[in-house]
Amino acid sequence: MSLFLKCVKGLHVERPPIWFMRQAGRYLSEYRNTRKRAGSFLDLCYNSELATEVTLQPINRFGFDAAILFADILLILDALGVKVQFIEGKGPLLEPVKNKADIERISNLGKIHEKLFPVYETVKKLKKELPKDVPLIGFAGAPWTLATYLINGKGEQGSLTAKKFLIENSEEFEEIINLLTDATIEYLIMQIESGADVIKIFDSWAGALNADMVLRYSLNPIKKIVSEIKKKHPDIPFIVFPRSVNTIYRNFSNEECFDVLAVDQYLDRKWIADKIQPKKIIQGNLDPIFLTQSEELLFQELERVSDDFKTYPYVFNLGHGITPDAKVENVELVVNYVKGLKL
Ligand code: CP3
């Protein structure tokens, strides 16, 4: 079994495996070239040949221990019939869903696979082309994070529009969460049946919710997705990333069905080592800002992270996605550093 799969399944590993969130991205010149050839960002996501190519780029350049399918969490909204665009320099722009009629219009789960077919093709191609010891991570956005884009029509600091909607229109909000939960179960099952080895669920905006809301609208739907899928595919490990939920990470660590908890850079590492690592394999925490800094500063931070987490096996990763201004030579330095660690 590959180093990464051993680690996420809780088996002993000789060193932490490493991969990075957004490892295929604009900091790489080869990504920028392929992206130009593809046309728009969505064209790239739906072109299985080019999506395969960009997924492989960071594997070939750095030798990461896992690959992540190149796609986007918002594709499933596009597949449900929401108009999704990515505006250069601004990010996603969607047609907001605001009332029962809008929800009704996007409730046809039957048709998502037709639109998402190229994503499944990418997974199949990758399984053929990836080295045998590099597993493939499939993924989806958590229902709450998807709902924030759906309700507001774009990303928003603090997700206040979606948060007000959930308080003021709780019936419609629950319908949206249930719809997204069911669609995600279908989508991920297809990724697994196409060949994905591990699944990661991104709840990037979970930290905008208060503690009660996190349990109800972040944790519960994710738990439903994972437990439903595990009835059919019990051996597929799940990585869950409830970003910025602070001490509520503890509630996530109590869930049997989650295999790995991805931790952000805001949590105190000593607290993670004390409260979370004894219960769950963790992944992440290196602040991506250090990838833009000098070798010395980066190196100091790597020593801190690896020292604080060394008591238990963990997956080396960032606390959030790599930024376009990350230095390529820094990424190389981190991979070489981690490959020299011993657990
Ligand atoms: O390498 C990988 O990690 C795999 C591919 C991947 C992308 N997005 C490609 C992408 C994955 C796993 C995602 C997840 C994603 N997408 C999340 C969850 C993780 C997180 O970052 O919190 C979210 C919230 C999105 C939605 C999204 N996609 C936004 C807000 C943006 C615009 C912001 C930005 O960075 O430009 C995107 C675009 C996007 N998704 C890019 C990439 C490589 C950049 C687009 C480009 O090439 O122009």
Side-chain angles (χ1 to χ4, degrees), residues 59-260:
I59 307 301
N60 295 337
R61 192 194 264 257
F62 305 110
F64 282 114
D65 295 307
I68 182 160
L69 164 70
F70 192 85
D72 196 85
I73 63 162
L74 301 180
L75 298 188
I76 196 166
L77 300 180
D78 192 41
L80 283 166
V82 183
K83 193 164 169 243
V84 179
Q85 290 170 280
F86 284 84
I87 311 291
E88 213 60 63
K90 282 207 174 140
L93 190 65
L94 299 83
E95 211 177 351
V97 162
K98 293 201 149 86
N99 52 42
K100 293 226 181 228
D102 294 338
I103 299 171
E104 180 67 30
R105 199 167 38 77
I106 62 161
S107 291
N108 183 0
L109 294 192
K111 67 172 189 194
I112 63 171
H113 298 310
E114 198 183 322
K115 186 91 194 195
L116 295 167
F117 182 75
V119 176
Y120 311 142
E121 284 298 297
T122 308
V123 173
K124 288 181 200 153
K125 275 193 210 304
L126 282 166
K127 285 306 289 176
K128 284 198 202 116
E129 295 192 23
L130 277 166
K132 287 289 154 273
D133 58 346
V134 180
L136 179 64
I137 303 167
F139 70 90
W144 160 249
T145 287
L146 294 176
T148 64
Y149 288 99
L150 190 63
I151 292 163
N152 190 47
K154 55 183 192 286
E156 178 190 22
Q157 211 55 46
S159 307
L160 289 180
T161 306
K163 213 170 154 184
K164 281 184 188 152
F165 187 92
L166 95 76
I167 296 168
E168 293 163 9
N169 308 77
S170 57
E171 200 182 309
E172 285 86 350
F173 183 78
E174 301 234 355
E175 270 182 46
I176 290 174
I177 290 289
N178 291 339
L179 165 67
L180 296 173
T181 302
D182 292 343
T184 303
I185 292 169
E186 293 236 351
Y187 181 37
L188 290 177
I189 286 179
M190 285 300 285
Q191 290 187 28
I192 293 165
E193 293 182 355
S194 303
D197 300 293
V198 176
I199 297 293
K200 177 162 178 184
I201 298 183
F202 289 92
D203 212 350
S204 303
W205 300 115
L209 294 168
N210 67 40
D212 292 338
M213 292 171 179
V214 175
L215 299 181
R216 192 149 169 200
Y217 298 119
S218 171
L219 177 63
N220 277 345
I222 297 175
K223 205 163 94 181
K224 176 157 186 216
I225 292 167
V226 177
S227 54
E228 284 298 315
I229 297 175
K230 284 202 171 181
K231 283 185 193 159
K232 213 169 170 189
H233 296 286
D235 297 330
I236 296 288
F238 275 79
I239 306 171
V240 174
F241 183 37
R243 192 167 73 94
S244 295
V245 297
N246 210 308
T247 52
I248 305 289
Y249 262 104
R250 246 198 311 210
N251 300 64
F252 281 80
S253 72
N254 290 333
E255 295 299 334
E256 285 279 315
C257 63
F258 304 163
D259 299 275
V260 178

Side-chain angles (χ1 to χ4, degrees), residues 27 61-62 291 295 298 326-336:
Y27 75 106
R61 192 194 264 257
F62 305 110
L291 296 176
E295 264 188 35
L298 174 61
K327 293 183 193 166
V328 172
E329 57 277 20
N330 277 348
V331 176
E332 205 170 291
L333 187 151
V334 181
V335 175
N336 291 336

